[in-house]
Amino acid sequence: MTSAASRRVLMKGAGALGLASLAGESFAAASQPNILFILADDLGYADLGCYGQQAIKTPVLDRLARDGVLLTQAYANSAVCSATRTALLTGRYQQRLPIGLYEPAGNSNLFVPPDHPTIATLLRARGYKSSLVGKWHLGAYPAHNPQSNGYDYCFGFVGGASDYFRHSGPDKRPDSGLWENDRKVDVPGYLTDILANKAIERIAAHKQAGAPFFMSLHLNAPHWPWEGPNDAAVAATITNNRDPDRGNLAKYGEMVEAMDSAIGRVLAALRQQGLERDTIVIFSSDNGGERFSDVWPLTGAKGELLEGGIRVPAILRWPARVKRGQVNQQVAISMDWLPTLLAAAGGAPDPAYPSDGMNILPILLGQAPIAKRKLFWRYKAQDQAAVRDGDVKYLLIGGREYLFNVVEDAHERANLKNRDKETFERLKADFAAWNAQMLPYPPNMPSDNPKQAGTFADRY
């Protein structure tokens, strides 16, 4: 869907293409499907053709959406990456763990406790073998690598970002570079392609092992530094890959298109191994887009609790069970994937660590109607708060408070705070009650994304 008309269809007419058409249909289900979870980094809501993008070509992900379900109201748990990854791994609000409170880059004392159930450990109990390929950012290597949280195998990098050719992070941390399990490795090439190649290797290895597999493919793309697949010579001359004056729209497009192509090779490997039908493939992003991303018709960016900072693309394909060609308006969030995927595997969250997410599998299968949700966000760096309840959203940002109907006003411009004082006060009180159950922030916590501070208040 690349036309303006298609964009309007996605945002206003998705209900007509909802899951009700699945009623009465049956599919031959695999007893335990394989799972491939692909996570992009800093991808904007409208950076894919299936979400309305026209300048960047993403035929692979557009086809994935046509072959499965495209969610138009999916959210990240946070406006920054490690916090969302904590929620994705644990299926719980990230504010329940110290590592989920803010970006832990360079802090070796922050990690997900090894005894905390994760999606990897819970699937392992169901007989799954697992691999994480790509970005971790949830603990220092080698002591707190993905294997400490249940993955059988890991390959990738540790911190918040990596140069695409030199494979080094901007913070010169001692565990920078590429790692395979507990040892450093040197693999030449463009990082997006390296990660795709490793994922293809792991798919073959899992097929040979004969057990159902769970693979997390966590790409660096299209996170800065702004380096396309043909930029090796230029990248070698750059001393500061976090330089805010680098990059442009064309380069960003190259990175997204390279990501799309790499994912295409991974999906082709599933098909070649005869695994496509009984593999759940999910594609999403860890937070909203950054400076070169497209988030239309939303506003805001990474580091903000506006819709553009937390609403993300989300696509699911499961040929054996889920009818193709659906566009669905179910409100979903990163922490939903743990209970949803466990349900698909015949399991459930650990009752001692109940998930804050919701199993949306019955909705995706057409066995239940779209459910109303109440979700919470908190981002200390700029003293931000948000609550979405049904169609309305309470927002605190830039020292000001707002109430928006984000279905009728996705651009978040018509402040209903004074027109619907009862709802405004109710959601504000709901946030205070939820916030009291979460861990407090440490005092004097630095901003994770200072360049974003105040931007919304200034431009509103």
Side-chain angles (χ1 to χ4, degrees):
M1 303 178 188
T2 57
S3 68
S6 297
R7 189 193 296 267
R8 289 194 295 272
V9 166
L10 278 171
M11 298 310 301
K12 299 180 181 178
L17 294 172
L19 293 174
S21 62
L22 277 174
E25 298 209 29
S26 62
F27 298 89
S31 57
Q32 284 189 307
N34 303 308
I35 300 166
L36 171 60
F37 196 105
I38 306 172
L39 192 68
D41 199 333
D42 290 3
L43 187 73
Y45 178 77
D47 278 338
L48 305 180
C50 52
Y51 283 91
Q53 178 60 232
Q54 298 184 50
I56 302 173
K57 305 305 178 186
T58 56
V60 170
L61 290 167
D62 297 347
R63 184 167 58 251
L64 189 72
R66 292 194 301 270
D67 289 344
V69 181
L70 181 147
L71 292 164
T72 62
Q73 298 194 63
Y75 287 92
N77 262 74
S78 178
V80 289
C81 85
S82 282
T84 292
R85 291 165 197 270
T86 301
L88 181 63
L89 188 69
T90 65
R92 313 180 83 204
Y93 279 115
Q94 64 274 16
Q95 292 90 353
R96 295 189 185 280
L97 291 168
I99 190 172
L101 298 180
Y102 58 97
E103 288 290 291
N107 190 335
S108 61
N109 296 320
L110 292 169
F111 52 88
V112 177
D115 60 349
H116 193 296
T118 68
I119 189 169
T121 61
L122 293 167
L123 285 171
R124 174 187 284 174
R126 302 294 305 168
Y128 279 71
K129 299 296 183 181
S130 60
S131 300
L132 187 142
V133 176
K135 178 174 175 176
W136 180 231
H137 210 197
L138 289 176
Y141 273 47
H144 302 296
N145 73 5
Q147 290 177 310
S148 69
N149 292 119
Y151 286 93
D152 298 303
Y153 171 90
C154 57
F155 174 93
F157 62 99
V158 184
S162 173
D163 184 280
Y164 285 81
F165 294 96
R166 292 175 291 185
H167 313 145
S168 59
D171 44 15
K172 297 181 174 58
R173 51 189 295 166
D175 53 5
S176 184
L178 294 177
W179 288 75
E180 185 168 30
N181 296 329
D182 58 357
R183 64 185 182 91
K184 272 193 172 184
V185 294
D186 184 12
V187 182
Y190 187 63
L191 184 58
T192 302
D193 292 330
I194 291 172
L195 298 180
N197 292 342
K198 184 57 67 174
I200 291 168
E201 287 181 18
R202 295 305 301 167
I203 288 171
H206 284 305
K207 172 68 180 295
Q208 186 174 12
F213 71 81
F214 167 56
M215 180 184 296
S216 299
L217 174 55
H218 293 182
L219 300 167
N220 191 46
H223 194 291
W224 54 262
W226 316 111
E227 296 168 350
N230 300 314
D231 290 340
V234 175
T237 67
I238 294 170
T239 58
N240 177 14
N241 60 16
R242 201 173 184 173
D243 186 345
D245 296 325
R246 294 181 59 204
N248 52 59
L249 288 172
K251 186 59 58 184
Y252 182 80
E254 287 179 25
M255 297 169 69
V256 174
E257 290 180 357
M259 177 189 72
D260 186 76
S261 178
I263 291 171
R265 293 192 293 110
V266 175
L267 298 182
L270 281 178
R271 187 165 54 252
Q272 291 159 6
Q273 294 286 351
L275 300 172
E276 182 177 68
R277 177 172 172 76
D278 292 331
T279 298
I280 298 174
V281 177
I282 295 170
F283 175 84
S284 194
S285 181
D286 61 346
N287 47 248
E290 215 190 22
R291 70 183 85 174
F292 299 120
S293 296
D294 186 356
V295 299
W296 182 264
L298 313 177
T299 190
K302 175 182 179 179
E304 297 173 324
L305 295 184
L306 289 148
E307 293 290 284
I310 52 177
R311 203 188 295 192
V312 292
I315 301 167
L316 180 143
R317 185 190 74 184
W318 186 9
R321 295 291 306 277
V322 174
K323 189 174 180 180
R324 70 188 304 273
Q326 302 173 53
V327 179
N328 188 268
Q329 295 186 79
Q330 175 61 54
V331 174
I333 193 168
S334 308
M335 62 188 177
D336 290 345
W337 294 119
L338 182 144
T340 299
L341 294 174
L342 282 172
D350 187 327
Y353 296 84
S355 176
D356 295 310
M358 183 179 80
N359 170 19
I360 63 172
L361 185 62
I363 298 165
L364 299 178
L365 294 176
Q367 299 168 353
I370 288 175
K372 182 179 177 179
R373 306 289 303 277
K374 184 180 290 186
L375 299 173
F376 299 88
W377 291 266
R378 184 183 77 179
Y379 188 42
K380 177 65 176 179
Q382 284 90 53
D383 294 317
Q384 298 180 53
V387 182
R388 175 158 179 179
D389 185 10
D391 294 348
V392 295
K393 175 182 174 182
Y394 164 79
L395 176 68
L396 167 65
I397 188 171
R400 302 178 188 177
E401 293 177 301
Y402 305 87
L403 181 69
F404 297 116
N405 184 314
V406 292
V407 174
E408 296 178 355
D409 175 27
H411 211 53
E412 292 178 286
R413 283 297 180 265
N415 188 4
L416 308 177
K417 170 184 173 182
N418 295 322
R419 292 173 57 188
D420 190 353
K421 293 183 179 179
E422 181 180 351
T423 299
F424 172 79
E425 294 297 340
R426 175 174 60 83
L427 294 187
K428 186 174 178 179
D430 287 347
F431 176 82
W434 170 84
N435 191 37
Q437 301 174 41
M438 300 296 118
L439 292 177
Y441 283 105
N444 303 316
M445 192 181 77
S447 170
D448 302 325
N449 204 8
K451 66 178 178 296
Q452 297 287 355
T455 53
F456 178 64
D458 292 342
R459 67 175 179 262
Y460 188 81

